Each structure stands twice: as C-alpha cells, then as structure tokens.
Amino acid sequence: MIKVTLKDGSCKEMKKGTTVIEAAESISMGLARAAMAGEVNRKTVDLRYQLNEDCSLNILTFDDPEGRMAYWHTTSHILAQAVKRLYPNAKLAIGPAIETGFYYDFDIEKPFTPEQLEDIEKEMQKIIKEDLPIERFALSRDEALKFVNEAGETYKAELISELPEDAEISFYRQGEFTDLCAGPHLLSTGKVKAVKLINLAGAYWRGDEKNKMLQRIYGVSFPKKSMLDEHITKLEEAKKRDHNKLGRELGIFMTSEPIGQGLPLLMPKGAKIMQILQRFVEDEEEKRGYVRTMTPYMAKSDLYKISGHWQHYRDGMFVLGDEEKDSEVLALRPMTCPFQFMIYNSKLHSYRDLPVRMAETSTLFRNEASGEMHGLIRVRQFTISEGHIIATPEQLEDEFLGAVDLINYMLDTLGIRDDVTYRFSKWDPENKEKYIDNSEAWEDAQAKMKKILDQIGLPYEEAVGEAAFYGPKLDIQFKNVHGKEDTIITVQIDFSLAERFDMAYIDRNNEKKRPYIIHRTSIGCYERTLAMLIEKYAGAFPTWLSPVQVKVLPIIDKQNEYAENIANQLRSLGVRVEVDKRNEKIGYKIREAQLEKIPYMLVVGDKEMQNEQVAVRSRKEGDLGPMDFDKFAKMITEEIASRAK
RNA sequence: GCUGGUGUGGCGCAGCGGUAGCGCAAUUGAUUCGUAAUCAAUAGGCCAGGGGUUCAAAUCCCCUCACCAGCUCCA
C-alpha cells in the first residue's frame, strides 16, 4: 500500500499501481467523470499513470489550466483523425493545445477550404460519437522511427530523430488513428462534447519561414454546448471592441488605398486624443528632469552604419536614393537613438552632468513587411515617446528605476496597469549573428537588469531571443482583443552603442569613461497606445481623454442661444464641447451622443434656461437631473484635472 | 514576405452571366417636441483598379492594390 495525499490535505491509502483515474473513482464518480489529467507531486501526468509510491495527488478537471490542455490536446487528435479519414494523403505535423484551444498542422497538396472545414467538423462529431478508447503505448526510439516511417509520417520521423537515443517514446491510439505524443490525454474520444473549428491559416513547419508552409486548423472544445456558445459570444463581444473597427466607426482614424498600407490618417478626434496624450507625456517628462530634442526625420546612411542599424535592419528602412548610382543615400529614421547621441557628443561631459535625460516626441518610419500591418498597432509611420538616459555605471540602477516608475505612473493614469504584463527580453546565445557579439557584456547587462527587476518586484516573464541587438529589454506587453500580445512600452539597457558612437564622460579622477545608455519610452508608440485604449475602454474614454467631453442638447431651437452660451463658458474653462442644434427630438440627439460615447450630455430646455441650470446626463449613469451650471462646471473641470478614470 | 478569406453608394449587407437593390446614415420639406430612433420626399454607385473570356461581366479567368485572420518578422 502507498500513502496518497490529496488536494484538501487528507491522506488516503491505495494499492501500489493504482492509476490516477482509479484514484479519482475512489474519491467520487463525479470527480472521475470530470477528470482530464492528474497532478502527481506537482507534475502533470496522464490519467493512466500508475501511483507506485507515496505521493501527493490532485485530479485536474476542465477548470484547471492543465486539465483544459489535456482536453484540447485530445480534441486536436480527434481533428487529426478526422482529417486522415477524409484526406488519407495528409501528413501530420504537430497539434498542441494552446491557451485558447488547440490547433493541428497538416501538410496537404491543396489548402483546405472553409467548406472542407465543415466536413472535418462533422467527421469529428462522428469520432466523438464512436467513443473510441484512447490507449497509450511506448516504443524505443528505433521502433518509433520504424513505426512512423511505415506510416509515411515524415514530420513525425524528424521529431523523433532529434530525441535522445535512449528515449522512450509514447504514442496514443484511438481506433485506427495513432499519433506520437507525450500526452496527457483523456480516456476516450467520447469525453469531448462541443467542438468548433475556428479558422484556417498557413504556418511554417517549425515556425521557420525557410521551411514548407503547412495548413493549420484552429479549434476549441468544451464539455458543454452552453460553454461553447458562451465562448463564441465572448469572442464576438471582444471583436466589437476591436480598435480597428471601433476606431474607424468613431471617426478616430481611417486608411485610404492611394495613400498606402500601414499609413493611417488620424482624423480630428484621433488627433485630439493624440495631442492630449502627448501633452501629458511631455509635461510629465519635464517634471522628471528630461530635456527635449527635435532631430531630423532622415539621415545619411553613414549614421546608421555607425549605430549598426544598417547592418542589422537595412531591409526595414526606407532608403532614399540608389546606393549604386548616388554618392550618398539617405534613410528615413527608424529610431531616434543615434540623433540624440550626436547631441550628447556635441560637448565634453563631466560626471557631474550625468545623468542626461533626453526625450523626444519622435516620428519614425519602418518598412514593415506587407503582411504585418494591423490597424494602429503595426504601421509604417508612427510617433513614439522616445528618449535616452546617459548615465554612469553607478547611476544605472536608479535611472532604470526612474524609467520604470514613470512608465507605471503612465499605466496607472491611463487605467491600464492591470491589463499589461512585464517581459524580461534576453538575447539568444544560440543565435549570435542577430546580436552584438560580446557574450560577457550580454551576461553582465542581463544580470544587472535582473537584479533591478527583482528589486522592484515586478512579476516578469523571461523571454530568450527577444532582446534588441544592442542589449536586454524590459517590455510592457498588452493583449489585443484577438488575444495577440504586443509590446507597448520598453526600457532597454545598452552596453554597446556608447562604444560605437565613442560617447564618454570624464570621471572624478579626470579619466575618460564609457557611460551606460538606457533607451526608454514613457507611453510607447502613441498609435499603438491609442489602439490599446480604444480596446480597453471600448471607445468610451475617461473624460480627460475624450475628444468631445460635453454635448449640449437644446430641446427646441428656442434654447439654441442659451446652449451656445453654456458651451462657450465651458470652452473658456478648457472643456471640449459641441452643441447639437439640429431640428431633432431630444431622444434622438441623446441616442446619437450616447453612440458617440460622449461622457456628458447637457439637456437644456426652458426650465434650465430660466434657472441658469443644465440637465446633466452621464454616459455611464444616465439622467442625473438638473444642476446649477456652476456646479457642473466645477464637477467636470475637477474630473478632467484629476484625470479620473 | 507566406497561407487562406474579403473588396458592391458614408456604414452594414443582398445580388454571383442578361439594363444595380435593401436597411441605416445623408439632403430637403413638414413637425417646436423633456432623456436611446417623428413623418414624408429626394439624392447618391464605371460594383477596389487594370487586363482577358463572352453577343452580354458586379457575377467567369489573370494581374495589381487594399482590408481581415494566422505564420514569419518587429531596432
């Protein structure tokens, strides 16, 4: 007998060799029905796993992330089985569970059509109905290779051949279908209930664009139909917040075919929000000791050759002129660093001058690949709250902390602190040609950064291979409505460009020293941040950010003059106001203002006119009733000044 | 850049070989009205652009451009 400690802390004696599912059955049949996988001594295991010694056991259900993963992973096998039944020539690549469901990659002569997707889904339903038991078996590496080669599964063979020679390789079989897989898996195909194939996409084998493009099918599944319906509704709701749709509907931005891809036009409302953000950032930077620069939008290739951008990012730059024919070529700037470095180098610096904090509201140009553009998130021209801190090694830590503090202040004020995650982006020592080659300096800079991050106590995730070519980064990540993560803000430690630009300061002992450089943004790229704010607030911005803060709605034209008067008084207080003088009923005017997501509507009729009042209607709370105008003016100006959320 | 999908009046869509339609918005007129849509009339489109097939193309084929999702990339 062995002792098994359960989740609630209780201890249960079981026979040696009891499987996880048997253990679950001994607890309750309900739990056994819901069981998707097990967790033994904190490691996720299959339901078929045998308990051979004293251990802790937790039964994972669909409510546990790992349980859900097992459920979705099994569904991906059902997908693969259905595809093999309908298209026996399809070759299997990989089919993992992901955060939002699962996918499977196939190599098939002709890409799938959406109609075929329906057929595949139907076949999956059949497989579920057949309730095929899922069996696990293991083979030696050689046996496994023989097995998949006989089946003609060349992608699987490639995967197996890279495993160590003594590896024991597991397979899962359901009916006529067998797949190489580490598991865990459910016990039979009938455990899967509601399935939906979501979309089709191309994906390179092993994520490398040099490899063949495979056909990827994404899907999701749930133990109950109602859960699937709920999930689909949620996806649809999220799409309604899509900045790319909402931003256009609300007249924030537009695109135009003759202007070109990745070149959005900010319309009056979008430009107003941008200006508000920009003033906010610039004022705050000034308070925190930054000086401003304004540097050229282009430079000779010579500059980028010094920085290394010409070598690393030539393809991503808009080059003006022909390198073959012209004696010199210019390029639109893809970043501001070398320009600010030139300003730094314009004089000799004492250690007493440092740190130098330079900021610029900087328009940049990057020739993103044609398939990359997305609304305001990935564009070819954008404006960034760029800046560089030149510091002595002793100052590095404090300056880094200061940069993070500024960022967190921005995130708090915008009300998005809880919507972001922090990523510590490191270099990839396996891929040296992507980076400045100095292993020692990399490890040193990363160690310094890690120390600072740990000291602040930010909950960060490490990401290998995400560093800039000149140094490690702290990236602030935001997930868009489609669940895709983008970097909005970044702080980088640069140990190498000071060398390339021969930047220096004179220390206490009258010796020339290399400074450290921190590349940082306050609010990131304005366009991207705007996109994020649209999605966060579903277009209903906090009052201080709203392009139109108040709409005055006269009930009939008799009150137009009073309405204008009210509007002008508010304008003189710095409030952004419009008056709706159209000959429409009040309900209609309210409806339109509400759809435009304007924070306050002021209804004015005879009663208000007589009493110097306004009937306030809040976008959030509806009719607030009549209020003295002065009181409303005080209320809204305070709300704006405090940047209330 | 790659895979797939989409492109029809300002917006949302229908039409898928036989003279371009609906809803909303817009404009004009009437209505002077108290918290999410007043009534009526009118106007608006070389069906993304170019080429081809056909007696005939929004509709079929080819190319280009743009938009969407995914992959790859992202200083």
Side-chain angles (χ1 to χ4, degrees), chain A residues 551 553 590-591 594 598-603 614-625 632:
Chain A
K551 207 157 184 176
L553 312 178
I590 287 169
R591 178 183 155 79
Q594 190 76 37
I598 291 166
Y600 291 102
M601 291 154 249
L602 300 182
V603 176
V614 289
V616 181
R617 188 187 168 95
S618 138
R619 173 185 65 196
K620 272 188 244 169
E621 291 150 78
D623 191 356
L624 300 180
F632 173 75

Side-chain angles (χ1 to χ4, degrees), chain A residues 84 88 90-93 148-158:
Chain A
K84 281 298 242 183
K91 281 189 195 170
L92 304 175
V148 296
N149 277 326
E150 274 170 15
E153 297 292 357
T154 52
Y155 294 96
K156 299 289 181 192
E158 189 179 326

Side-chain angles (χ1 to χ4, degrees), chain A residues 295 333-341 360 362 364 384 386 388:
Chain A
T295 57
R333 67 172 175 197
M335 27 73 270
T336 323
C337 11
F339 298 86
Q340 290 194 329
F341 296 167
E360 177 162 340
S362 184
L364 304 179
I384 193 164
E386 179 83 284
H388 298 88

Side-chain angles (χ1 to χ4, degrees), chain A residues 14-39:
Chain A
M14 292 186 193
K15 234 172 36 196
K16 192 174 165 192
T18 302
T19 62
V20 172
I21 185 67
E22 284 162 358
E25 281 162 4
S26 78
I27 299 167
S28 91
M29 283 315 285
L31 182 63
R33 268 195 301 275
M36 309 268 154
E39 193 179 50

